[in-house]
Every structure is written in C-alpha cells, then in structure tokens.
Amino acid sequence: MEPSAGVSKQDIREQIWDYMESQNLADFPRPVHHRIPNFKGAPRAAEHFPRLQAFKMARTIKVNPDAPQKNARFLVLDSRKTLLVPTPRLRTGLFNKITPPPGATKDILRKCATSQGVRSFSTPVGLDARVQVDLVVVGSVAVSEKGWRIGKGEGYADLEYAMMVSMGAVSPETPVVTIVHDCQVVDIPEALLEDHDLTVDYILTPTRVIATGCERPKPAGIIWSKISCEMMEKIPVLRSLRSREKQAGKDVSLQDEPRDLDASRLQTAPLRALRGPQALPLATQREDVPADTVYVGNLPRDARVSELKTALRAHGAAPLRLSWQGPQRRAFLHYPDAASAQQAVSCLQDLRLGANTLRVALARQQRPSDLVDTHPGEPHPNHRPAVADL
C-alpha cells in the first residue's frame, strides 16, 4: 500500500488507518483512527529490540506510552535498564521513571509496562535531574525506509524529542527507533517534512529490522515560533524550558503571541453566547486580525478536526494551517495571502458538517464577540492553538 502523488500527511494517516481497519490488523483500542495503531504482531516486532546494538549499549531508554510499545517497555525493564516514559500529553512533566518493586517477577514487570503500571510504579523526573537518554522509542502512524516519520498529528513525539534536546538529555547521535506493522512502512514525500519533524534510525516490524541510515538532521531543540500560547498553558514543563532559554538569550517568541492587544481585556472578557459571524462594514474591519485568516463557526459539538479537514480538501480550500477551537465550536483557517482567503470563503459557502451549515467568512470581518469574547481568556484569531498540518 503506497500513498498516491500529491498527498498530505493527513491523507497518509487516513490511508493507513483505513487499511488497518479494513484488514483487521489492529487489536484494542479500536478503531485505530486518531491513534498510534496497536497493531497485531506488536510483541513479535518488539522482540527485535534487544538484539539491536544500540539497545545492548544503552542504560537509559525512553519509550512512548502507547499500547503497541508495551512489550518494548517490558523488555527494557527485563534487561534491568532504566525506563523513562513521557507523561500523557506532557501535562504533569516530561518523564516518569518506572521503578518496579524489589524482586519483581516477569509478571510484575509486564504489569509495570502497561499503562496502569506506568501510573502505579513511576516517579517524576524533573528538569534538574540531568538525565542522559541513550535510546529513544517513538510510535508512528507511518514511516518510510528512509527514516521519515508521520505521527498521529498532535506533535507530541516531536515536541518530546525537542524538549529532550533543550534539556541536554539527547544528542544528534542518540538513536531513535519506531515499532510498526509492515503495512505502516510506506513512501513519504520529502516535501511533507518540516524542521520540527523527528526522523528514525531503526524500524522494527514483525518481519523486518530496517536500518534507515537517515542523514536528515533531527530537531536541534524547541522551535518556539511553532509553539502556541494554548500549548504553553497546557504544558507547564514547556514554560519552565522557555524561561531557561529566554534567560540564556535565545529567541523564544511564540507562534501566536498577541500583537497590540489588551491582554487584561482578554482575561476579563465576560461570558457571552456564541453568535454567528455577521460581516462588519469595510470601514470597521478589524485591522488587528490578519487578512489571510478565515473564520469557520457553528461546528457541531462532536465535530473532529479530521472531518473539517476532509471537507475543506473536498471543496478545494485546504489552508496552510488550521487552528482548531472545538470547545468554542469554531476554527480559523490560515491561507498564504488575503486573495487565497477570499477565494476560500467563496468556495466554502453552504459548507456542512453533519446537520450543521457552517458559518464561513473572513475573520477580520467578524465582530469582536465572535473572535475573543465567547469565554474568559479566550484567544485572538491570530492565536493558533492545536495547529494541524493539512
């Protein structure tokens, strides 16, 4: 199964997810969409792990917390190596160190390797721990034999690695391994790769061990211009790292720091009901909102970002970036220029998701209450939380 020409990262994800579902190649949890797939044969693929020279040499190994890497986590513990597991969505820190009870049997070690075991037998590892990670394991939705990787679209694996670089836990020579089903090894166009994308050195499948020989540089640290204010709020350890790098004289400007906005007004804005976008007269258009940004409102309460992206592509109006604000039932689409944004508005009239007809207009033509006053502290449309690539 190979992606067709001109595809996006999301297209490749959807192809992999659809194929694995149609061929019944995954175990619980199902469906695999929007997940790192827990593929059938994952334990067999992980059996290659201890045979890698990089594994034999490593003392401290970081393994992602997803289900298909459960056996890899067990093998690290069974080899009496230090196992680090990222905290889910990085909410409470970067790492947890898994510490099995004294005299733990293999059965206990297997329990420690589960998601429940990670919660029960772990201790946080702080930024000042001076940890040195010798080997990194990440989950993937798709990966190429060249070492190019696509995750599930939330960017946490890339961010975890960048944070490890920033805290000095890894170096450019630290090997990165991914464990996937054979069907997840596909061609990935190089044009889809960005500076923040993590590449891999080894791919383990149930039938193969692939040494990619990837020469593309791995991320050299956190690219702050790609970090949103919303992400900073959700990930406390990211705020700590930013403070350190700012003190070191680095540029830590965020992707969407407000420009000429009264921050206190945003924090104290009263609760108001979400109102549909009513275009303002040209004379009163908001100059603090980029002309290349399109507002999409009246999203269904249970809408998913993937559904909106699919609809946008179907209408020939895929943006450069999509800022998802699902709880507020809206999104902002960012285009290359004002003309592209205006064309997208024309293409997307009468756009529907489920039973809802969506409200589509230029963001700068919306009333302030449609942009920032729906909830206290709600962001400006030039603020880009949950940015998804298309």
Side-chain angles (χ1 to χ4, degrees), residues 270-276 295 301 328-330 359 368-371 373-375 378:
L271 283 169
R272 297 184 186 175
L274 180 61
R275 291 195 292 267
Y295 169 97
R301 294 187 183 279
Q328 288 76 44
R329 301 178 61 195
R330 69 186 181 200
R359 300 164 182 160
S369 57
D370 292 319
L371 301 179
D373 287 346
T374 301
H375 294 287
E378 188 172 301

Side-chain angles (χ1 to χ4, degrees), residues 151-228:
K152 60 185 176 183
E154 296 181 344
Y156 284 104
D158 301 320
L159 182 57
E160 288 163 10
Y161 182 87
M163 292 168 71
M164 287 191 287
V165 172
S166 294
M167 63 188 288
V170 295
S171 71
E173 290 72 40
T174 304
V176 177
V177 178
T178 195
I179 303 174
V180 297
H181 192 276
D182 288 277
C183 77
Q184 294 174 259
V185 183
V186 297
D187 287 337
I188 297 175
E190 186 173 9
L192 295 181
L193 301 187
E194 300 179 70
D195 291 344
H196 66 274
D197 286 329
L198 179 61
T199 57
V200 303
D201 302 292
Y202 297 96
I203 304 168
L204 310 184
T205 79
T207 66
R208 292 194 289 170
V209 174
I210 304 170
T212 67
C214 185
E215 297 182 356
R216 183 181 178 89
K218 293 182 173 64
I222 299 170
I223 304 176
W224 294 104
S225 60
K226 292 183 179 292
I227 302 296
S228 70

Side-chain angles (χ1 to χ4, degrees), residues 55-77:
F55 181 96
K56 296 175 182 177
M57 298 288 290
R59 295 194 299 175
T60 300
I61 302 177
K62 187 235 88 170
V63 183
N64 63 296
D66 297 295
Q69 278 69 56
K70 179 175 66 176
N71 206 46
R73 295 191 292 273
F74 162 73
L75 292 168
V76 173
L77 294 173

Side-chain angles (χ1 to χ4, degrees), residues 97-173:
K97 177 182 176 181
I98 311 306
T99 307
T105 63
K106 286 186 182 294
D107 286 342
I108 294 296
L109 294 180
R110 290 189 186 280
K111 181 178 180 181
C112 291
T114 65
S115 57
Q116 179 59 48
V118 167
R119 290 191 292 269
S120 302
F121 298 98
S122 65
T123 54
V125 176
L127 292 180
D128 297 321
R130 299 187 182 278
V131 64
Q132 187 65 45
V133 177
D134 304 309
L135 184 58
V136 173
V137 179
V138 295
S140 301
V141 172
V143 64
S144 78
E145 292 189 7
K146 295 180 179 180
W148 302 340
R149 170 191 171 275
I150 295 176
K152 60 185 176 183
E154 296 181 344
Y156 284 104
D158 301 320
L159 182 57
E160 288 163 10
Y161 182 87
M163 292 168 71
M164 287 191 287
V165 172
S166 294
M167 63 188 288
V170 295
S171 71
E173 290 72 40

